[in-house]
Amino acid sequence: MADKQVYRLKGLSCTNCAANFEKNLRQIESIQEAEVNFSAAKLTIFGDATIEQLEQAGAFDHIKVYAHNQGTPRIPVYKKRENLLTLSSLLLIIVGYSFYFQLGENHVATVGAFLLSIIVGGYDLIRAGIKNIAKLQFDMKTLMTIAIIGAAIIGEWAEAAVIVFLFALSEALEGYSMDKARNSIKSLMEIAPNDATIKRGKQLVQISVEDVRIGDTMIVKPGEKIPMDGIVREGRSFVNQAAITGESAPVEKKVKSTVYAGTVNEEGALVVEVTKLSEDSTIAKIIHLVEEAQTKKAPTQAFVDRFAKYYTPAIMLIALMVMVIPPLLGGEWQTWMYNGLAVLVVGCPCALVISTPVAIVTAIGNAARNGVLIKGGIHLEQLATINTIAFDKTGTITVGKPVVVEVNAIHGTKEELIQLAGSLERYSEHPIARAILKKAHDVSLLEATQFQSYTGKGIVAFIDGVCYKVGNAKLFEGYDLPIVSGGTVVYVGSDEQILGYIKVADQPRKGIKQHVQKLYQLGIVKTVMLTGDVENVAKQIGEESGITEVKAELFPEEKLSHIKRVKERYRVAMVGDGINDAPALAEAHVGIAMGGAGTDVALETADIALMGDDVSKLADTISLSKRTLRIIKENIILALSLKVVALLLVIPGWLTLWLAIFADMGATLLVVANALRLMRKTAEIDSHSRDHHEIT
Ligand code: ADP
Ligand code: MG
C-alpha cells in the first residue's frame, strides 16, 4: 500500500457530497484509496496528490483541503461563501417583493429579481439536482430541483425563490450545527502546546514537539501546559487534568507520576522524561478515537438512511400522482401541478436525515469534554437500554490501591518474609504486588528467576534454586494453611512449607454508595460485583457500596461466563479496569473501562472509557445516553409527523407551497435546536458531580 496521508477539510457540506468527493478522488491516478470522514471533516488517502488536485476533486462542493497538522483556519460564519450567497438570495427576494407590490406579479423586473435570487442561492443545488436527474438518482436535491423548476414553469417565481433560499438556509444551519458539534473535539486538539522546553546537554532549548524524542528530558514551568506525555523525574506539583479526565480538581504529581500532554501544571516546576512521541500521546489517541466514533453510524441513523432511500422516490411518485390523476378526472391541471409541487417540498427529508447525526455527534463531543470517551453512536444507544451493571471490584468499586495491614511470619522473620514476597512481586503488575513492594521499599530484593504468573492465584519463581510462591489459597493447594479470618490474605511459601502470610486491604471509593444509588434512580435494576478476591472481603465491600449481588473467588474466565449468564436475561454493562477483565468487557452489551488515561488496554478494549477515576461519570454518561436516545426519537417523530400532517392537507386542497415550505423549514430548525440541547450538561448532573467530588 502506498503512503497514507491525512488532511483536514473545510466546506464539506453534506454526507452525499462526501461520497461524491471520495468517488472523484479515486479517479485520480496516483491515489489508490480515499476515505472521507464527514463528521470529523477529515480525508485519508493512500497515494500521492497535491492539495490543488484534491481541491479540484472537491471543487463541486467548494471543499478546502489542509495538511493534517496545520490546523484549519476558522472562517467566520459571515465570511463563508455559501452564507454570503444565501444572504444575497434573501436580499434579492426582498427586492423582488418590492417590485411585486409596485409593478405587479408578472412584471419583468419582478420575475427578473426572483430569477436572479434563484440563480444566486440555488446554483450549486440545481446543478447537483440536474446531474442527479440525469443519473436517475433521487435524493433530497433532486426533489428540490424538480420543485423549483416546476414552480418556475407554472409562474410561481416568488415561491421558487423562497424554496431556494430556505433550502440554502437549512444547509447553512446543518453546516453550522455540525461544526459546532465537532468543535468540542477541535478545542481538545488545540490543547497541547506545539513546543516543548528540552534539556540538551547543559542547555535548555525550545523545540517543536514533533522533534522531541522518547527519553528526552523536558522542563515544565509552573502555569505551563505540559506538551508531551511522560514520567516525572524531579519536582512536585499539582496538575489540572480536566482536558483528559474531565475532573477539575488538580491531581498531585511527584517523582514517578505519569503526566499527560495537554494538562496544566499549576504550582511547581517539573522535570519530565518523555515517554511517548507527540502523535502517540494520550490526548492524540483520544482525539483520534472520538473522530472515528463520530463517523460510525448509529443503528438509528442507519435506519433513517435506509428509510430515506425508499422514502424519497415514494414522495416523487405521490407528487406525480397528485399532478396527473385529478386532472384526468376533470380537475384543473394548473392547480394540481401546484399541489404536486407542494407535495415535493413537504416531502424533503432534510429534517429526518439530519436528526440523528447531529444528536450523536453532539453527545459524543459533550462526553469527550467531560472525560468520557464513547467509541461510537451504537454504544451510546446501547447504553441507554442497559438495566444491569456488573463491576469489577479492584480499582472500580475500590480505590485499587491496597495496602499491607499485617505481616505474619511462621518460619523466619517478618523482614525475610517481606523480602521474599517483594522479590517475587517485583515482576507483577497486580495491585497487590504494588502494595507488597511498597512495604518492601527499604529492603534489598533478591534475584528471582523462572518467574511465572498465575492469573487469579499469584506468582511462582526460583531464588537460589529454591521454588517460592506468593498468592492466595488456590496457589497453595495441598498445603496446611493457617486459618486466617477476615481480609485479603497473601500466603508466602516455599515448595515444601508455608512461611507466613501478609494481609492487604483496599478501600471502597469515596461516595461509591451514592453513585450506585444514582444508578438505581436511572433505571438500573440489578448490580453485580465480580471479583477474584475472597468471599468475606467481597461481601463487606458489596455491602458498603450498595451492590446487590456479589460473586467472589472468580477466575477471569469465570467473570466472562458469569457475564454470559446475566446476558441471557438482562441488558448488561460491565465496568472494569480492562487489565484482567478485558474478555468480560468485550462480552457485555457495553464494556466500560475506568481510568482510561492510565492504560492503553482499557482505551482499546472498552466501548466506553472513563478517562479519569471518577465513578460519578458513569451515571452522567448513562443519563446522557438516555437523553440522546430520547432526543433522537423525538426528532424522528417530529420530522415525520409534521410532514404527514402537511401531506394530509393536500386532500382537501389546503396545502399551499407556503405551508409546505414552512413545514419543511420548521421541522429542520426544531430538530437541530433539539439536538443541540445535548451540548449542555444538565443542571441535575452538574450538581451531582459537584456534591460527590472525589479526592483520591
Ligand atoms: P480482582 O481484579 O477481582 O482482584 P484478580 O483475578 O486480579 O481479581 O485477582 C484475584 C486474586 O488472586 C487476588 O485477590 C489475589 O488473592 C490473587 N493474586 C493475583 N495476582 C496476585 C499477585 N501478584 N500476588 C498475590 N496475589 C495475587
Ligand atoms: Mg482486576
Side-chain angles (χ1 to χ4, degrees), residues 647-692:
L647 269 183
L648 290 178
L649 292 181
V650 150
I651 300 169
W654 293 343
L655 180 69
T656 65
L657 264 175
W658 290 116
L659 255 177
I661 290 165
F662 287 116
D664 183 41
M665 194 55 204
T668 308
L669 270 175
L670 283 173
V671 159
V672 169
N674 199 22
L676 288 183
R677 287 196 300 149
L678 288 168
M679 261 199 283
R680 282 200 323 246
K681 271 180 121 184
T682 59
E684 170 213 34
I685 288 172
D686 234 1
S687 70
H688 164 78
S689 56
R690 219 177 300 132
D691 286 348
H692 311 302

Side-chain angles (χ1 to χ4, degrees), residues 65-197:
V65 180
Y66 301 89
H68 176 55
N69 49 11
Q70 183 187 338
T72 54
R74 219 169 263 182
I75 302 172
V77 185
Y78 57 87
K79 270 200 189 150
K80 281 194 179 152
R81 177 185 163 277
E82 307 86 44
N83 295 354
L84 288 178
L85 290 179
T86 308
L87 187 68
S88 314
S89 81
L90 175 65
L91 292 178
L92 284 164
I93 288 174
I94 295 171
V95 171
Y97 266 105
S98 63
F99 288 156
Y100 183 111
F101 291 119
Q102 280 159 27
L103 308 170
E105 185 179 349
N106 296 320
H107 193 279
V108 188
T110 314
V111 174
F114 286 133
L115 181 61
L116 209 56
S117 166
I118 293 171
I119 293 170
V120 169
Y123 179 74
D124 292 344
L125 163 68
I126 295 173
R127 229 176 64 146
I130 289 176
K131 261 196 198 152
N132 284 347
I133 296 173
K135 283 186 273 182
L136 291 178
Q137 269 176 16
F138 298 108
D139 71 353
M140 221 152 72
K141 289 190 173 169
T142 323
L143 214 72
M144 287 294 115
T145 303
I146 297 177
I148 292 160
I149 295 175
I153 290 174
I154 60 172
E156 305 284 357
W157 292 97
E159 281 91 334
V162 172
I163 294 172
V164 165
F165 165 68
L166 288 178
F167 189 82
L169 187 63
S170 78
E171 294 244 294
L173 200 75
E174 174 174 346
Y176 173 75
S177 54
M178 286 302 271
D179 260 357
K180 219 164 165 180
R182 281 181 204 136
N183 272 344
S184 51
I185 294 311
K186 285 221 189 86
S187 63
L188 275 182
M189 214 151 52
E190 283 152 12
I191 234 158
N194 292 323
D195 296 317
T197 310

Side-chain angles (χ1 to χ4, degrees), residues 284-498:
K285 205 172 282 166
I286 294 174
I287 291 163
H288 174 73
L289 287 171
V290 170
E291 284 182 346
E292 296 249 294
Q294 290 183 329
T295 58
K296 281 188 207 148
K297 280 197 177 148
T300 323
Q301 194 182 342
F303 160 78
V304 166
D305 287 355
R306 247 191 344 260
F307 182 77
K309 211 166 115 193
Y310 296 104
Y311 167 89
T312 316
I315 286 290
M316 302 198 52
L317 201 67
I318 295 175
L320 193 69
M321 288 187 331
V322 169
M323 287 180 196
V324 173
I325 296 174
L328 286 182
L329 301 175
E332 175 105 34
W333 80 265
Q334 178 110 15
T335 318
W336 288 101
M337 175 90 178
Y338 179 96
N339 285 343
L341 292 176
V343 168
L344 280 184
V345 176
V346 166
C348 177
C350 322
L352 192 65
V353 168
I354 192 163
S355 60
T356 309
V358 194
I360 296 272
V361 170
T362 311
I364 289 179
N366 177 346
R369 266 180 296 138
N370 288 297
V372 178
L373 195 73
I374 300 172
K375 299 215 303 213
I378 178 164
H379 308 305
L380 200 62
E381 288 193 8
Q382 292 262 25
L383 189 64
T385 66
I386 286 303
N387 58 16
T388 298
I389 301 187
F391 296 91
D392 181 40
K393 178 183 73 77
T394 316
T396 306
I397 297 299
T398 65
V399 178
K401 288 182 187 139
V403 287
V404 171
V405 289
E406 201 182 312
V407 181
N408 263 297
I410 299 171
H411 295 282
T413 65
K414 284 187 186 183
E415 283 67 40
E416 281 166 2
L417 197 75
I418 283 292
Q419 184 189 38
L420 204 58
S423 304
L424 263 64
E425 295 285 21
R426 181 149 43 155
Y427 303 100
S428 169
E429 293 278 316
H430 202 275
I432 289 181
R434 263 176 264 154
I436 291 177
L437 281 169
K438 205 165 181 186
K439 187 79 188 170
H441 78 278
D442 49 3
V443 180
S444 63
L445 298 178
L446 305 168
E447 196 61 47
T449 56
Q450 297 176 47
F451 168 90
Q452 278 217 321
S453 166
Y454 294 88
T455 316
K457 289 183 179 175
I459 310 280
V460 178
F462 283 79
I463 296 174
D464 282 339
V466 184
C467 174
Y468 291 101
K469 301 176 175 184
V470 181
N472 58 19
K474 289 182 193 162
L475 190 68
F476 287 88
E477 231 160 73
Y479 283 68
D480 188 16
L481 291 179
I483 310 279
V484 186
S485 68
T488 305
V489 181
V490 181
Y491 295 100
V492 184
S494 70
D495 232 357
E496 286 155 7
Q497 58 179 346
I498 197 85

